[in-house]
Amino acid sequence: MAKGGNHQGFFLKLREFETETLKNIKDSNFVVVLDGLTDVRNIGAICRTAYSLDVDAIIASNIKQLNFEGIARTSSGALFDIPFCHSQNSLDVANELKQYGFELYGASMDGMDLKEFKNSSEKTALVLGSEGKGLSNKMLKKLDQKISIKMSNSFDSLNVSVAGGILIYNLKK
């Protein structure tokens, strides 16, 4: 099974990872939407944080293919414990979440300061943009509110997984 790799005395055979559908996530109260994120380490870190902070589900959109093996490894296995949906079209994700009663809050440097923002929504979708480009134009048009973490000491942004952790912790009821 190791095919010459360093197995350290352990082998494990798993079935193929299965993702959830948006329909199965509709009864959730707090979901995280990853809009175009591609970095396995960031996605894994967000999965780990989301699971530890009791997020109901994660939805990856605006990306064709994901490396689930890498995400599982960097999430310390949290990927297997939180519903994970993959949809290539971010507009479809936004529209369906709206139909299910979610309010969409997007992380953006030009958004309302998190310290001033009060989440009064019963169903929240936190949207995190890609590492280099931020939120897609399709997703930006669907947001109910853009929110930001104001920086000190002339920094202009945080790593998406760090920002996601701060936002999840502060928005989750």
Side-chain angles (χ1 to χ4, degrees):
M1 283 177 65
K3 297 179 184 169
N6 181 5
H7 55 78
Q8 298 179 340
F10 291 94
F11 292 95
L12 179 66
K13 189 169 185 170
L14 299 172
R15 60 179 159 69
E16 189 74 25
F17 179 73
E18 295 178 16
T19 59
E20 286 291 334
T21 64
L22 276 172
K23 186 176 181 180
N24 288 344
I25 294 172
K26 70 180 179 182
D27 294 328
S28 300
N29 291 316
F30 193 103
V31 300
V32 173
V33 179
L34 309 177
D35 182 29
L37 262 73
T38 57
D39 186 277
V40 171
R41 292 176 303 269
N42 281 331
I43 297 170
I46 291 167
C47 288
R48 186 175 181 171
T49 300
Y51 179 68
S52 69
L53 295 177
D54 204 27
V55 168
D56 296 317
I58 296 174
I59 303 165
S61 67
N62 201 17
I63 183 169
K64 291 182 181 179
Q65 195 170 4
L66 290 167
N67 176 355
F68 289 114
E69 180 181 315
I71 295 168
R73 191 177 315 110
T74 59
S75 73
S76 297
L79 174 66
F80 300 125
D81 295 319
I82 188 167
F84 192 98
C85 174
H86 178 225
S87 175
Q88 291 185 23
N89 190 321
S90 59
L91 187 59
D92 288 346
V93 169
N95 287 334
E96 283 195 53
L97 288 174
K98 290 279 199 181
Q99 287 177 1
Y100 297 144
F102 283 88
E103 290 196 26
L104 276 59
Y105 302 123
S108 178
M109 291 189 309
D110 64 342
M112 176 187 276
D113 187 351
L114 177 62
K115 291 180 181 177
E116 298 172 13
F117 180 75
K118 300 292 180 227
N119 183 9
S120 59
S121 175
E122 290 293 318
K123 295 173 74 86
T124 299
L126 172 62
V127 186
L128 303 172
S130 71
E131 297 85 355
K133 300 175 186 171
L135 296 169
S136 66
N137 288 331
K138 291 177 183 179
M139 192 60 83
L140 280 169
K141 292 176 184 176
K142 292 293 182 176
L143 295 178
D144 293 293
Q145 180 72 49
K146 292 189 286 185
I147 52 177
S148 69
I149 303 165
K150 296 300 177 195
M151 300 288 125
S152 297
N153 299 320
S154 70
F155 266 49
D156 64 352
S157 69
L158 294 170
N159 174 285
V160 67
S161 64
V162 172
I166 293 168
L167 292 167
I168 291 167
Y169 183 80
N170 283 280
L171 295 176
K172 187 97 169 66
K173 293 180 181 183

